[in-house]
Amino acid sequence: MRAMQVTEHNSPLALQTLDTPMPAAGEVQVQVATCGLNFGDTLLVKGSYQEKPALPFTPGMELAGTITAVGEGVEGLEIGQRVVAYSGIGGLAEYAVLSAKICVPLPDQMSFEDAAAFLITYGTSHLALGAKAGLLEGERLLVLGASGGVGLTAVELGHLMGAEVIACARGADRLAICAQKGADHLIDSDTQDIRETVKALGGADVVYDPIGGDQFKAAMRASNQGARLLPLGFASGEVPQIPANILLVKNMTVLGFYLGGFAKLNPKAMTQSIETLIGWYVEGKLKPHVSNVLPLEKANEGLDLLRTRQATGKVVVQVAS
């Protein structure tokens, strides 16, 4: 099978020919149709992610495809079934072997393209806003990096959960997409002062931040008493140092969230979240925004789109030809 692999950290992926893996007990073999790319994949390639697989390895944190073989003891899944999985690695290959426990059946209404754009972005936003921050109807939600993969789902879900959503992104074109997904207020981070603009709108009750750096600092100072802050990543390259005195004076809470760790900590909540989100998709309440679809051999171009923050929404690799 063909696979795009990390053979050396901080170098482009290499297209390799590998033996097709076979499932052991409790596993299934999936012919990969699509793989969703995430900013975490760029960190895996760089060697700076929370988890560091041994070299060489195949990145690709989420995949969708069709089961082609079933290991001993697997129940509830069968050959020919369409599934999606948060795999952690392995998605940028023509076949993947996965634990049957992490495979979620796909409804007929969901395309492989949408499925590969779904689990991590929507799962992160749904669990962070709901299970972690306890976002309430009528609260004011500030989303930084709102036109990116996870940010756009936070706008969409925040609107669906009844919040007043402030979307912060770079440029009119990106903000227009945020408005389409339900943002009530728009802030251009290139030209507007985030702190002053948010304060003028009444302050933020919940801050959703995959960016870090100066934007996090501005958002913190624009937050209301009792606000909850969700640092989800640091696309700016700067991990903010949080002043405890501001937390104290404003009675604020900082809630770290990492989907991979949460899935291990509370797998039941993860499963329930996926079921809820897929149900909303089937009902027409959610629609992933896929900005780029690339073939397997151009996966490096997809990663570059994420590194340079050029993508609006999700980048998907079409693995099956």
Side-chain angles (χ1 to χ4, degrees):
M1 70 174 187
R2 298 185 307 151
M4 294 293 284
Q5 287 207 307
V6 179
T7 56
E8 183 180 354
H9 284 135
N10 220 20
S11 296
L13 303 181
L15 183 60
Q16 308 274 59
T17 300
L18 308 174
D19 292 336
T20 301
M22 297 303 295
E27 295 179 334
V28 296
Q29 180 194 71
V30 174
Q31 184 177 19
V32 180
T34 51
C35 173
L37 295 184
N38 296 274
F39 190 76
D41 288 305
T42 71
L43 301 180
L44 276 169
V45 173
K46 190 177 180 180
S48 59
Y49 195 58
Q50 295 96 321
E51 300 172 8
K52 294 184 180 180
L55 295 172
F57 69 91
T58 303
M61 294 182 171
E62 58 185 329
L63 61 87
T66 303
I67 294 176
T68 44
V70 176
E72 184 180 352
V74 172
E75 298 179 356
L77 296 173
E78 58 187 26
I79 292 173
Q81 192 167 11
R82 301 165 72 249
V83 293
V84 63
Y86 171 36
S87 56
I89 58 173
L92 290 176
E94 291 178 321
Y95 289 87
V97 164
L98 308 169
S99 168
K101 294 179 181 179
I102 68 170
C103 293
V104 179
L106 282 183
D108 293 339
Q109 300 95 320
M110 182 177 278
S111 68
F112 283 132
E113 185 178 294
D114 280 355
F118 201 79
L119 284 191
I120 291 180
T121 51
Y122 281 105
T124 294
S125 293
H126 186 237
L127 288 166
L129 293 175
K132 275 285 186 176
L135 179 67
L136 299 174
E137 185 176 354
E139 287 192 307
R140 198 170 292 111
L141 167 66
L142 171 60
V143 181
L144 304 178
S147 65
V150 291
L152 203 56
T153 62
V155 171
E156 191 175 4
L157 287 171
H159 174 73
L160 189 60
M161 295 165 75
E164 181 182 343
V165 181
I166 306 170
C168 180
R170 300 168 62 186
D173 291 345
R174 289 180 169 87
L175 288 171
I177 296 171
C178 297
Q180 292 170 9
K181 290 295 186 180
D184 299 285
H185 310 284
L186 306 173
I187 299 176
D188 189 333
S189 59
D190 282 341
T191 60
Q192 293 177 268
D193 186 303
I194 295 173
R195 178 183 177 183
E196 293 305 319
T197 307
V198 174
K199 287 177 68 176
L201 291 170
D205 300 306
V206 175
V207 175
Y208 183 101
D209 177 27
I211 303 298
D214 290 339
Q215 290 194 27
F216 179 90
K217 298 171 189 175
M220 169 181 269
R221 295 182 181 278
S223 293
N224 295 326
Q225 285 280 335
R228 289 90 75 202
L229 310 179
L230 290 159
L232 298 160
F234 314 105
S236 67
E238 180 186 344
V239 179
Q241 303 304 302
I242 302 171
N245 61 315
I246 296 179
L247 299 181
L248 183 152
V249 171
K250 289 192 172 185
N251 289 286
M252 297 166 71
T253 304
V254 179
L255 299 157
F257 184 81
Y258 161 49
L259 185 64
F262 188 87
K264 297 174 184 176
L265 181 69
N266 195 338
K268 184 177 180 180
M270 178 77 177
T271 301
Q272 290 174 339
S273 173
I274 293 171
E275 291 173 351
T276 297
L277 291 167
I278 288 179
W280 285 346
Y281 176 93
V282 171
E283 293 170 13
K285 295 178 179 179
L286 299 177
K287 176 61 179 175
H289 179 77
V290 178
S291 59
N292 303 85
V293 180
L294 301 167
L296 180 62
E297 58 271 17
K298 292 188 177 182
N300 284 308
E301 295 180 21
L303 293 173
D304 285 339
L305 289 170
L306 297 176
R307 291 189 188 100
T308 57
R309 294 169 62 186
Q310 294 182 57
T312 56
K314 194 74 173 182
V315 178
V316 170
V317 172
Q318 190 85 37
V319 178
S321 56

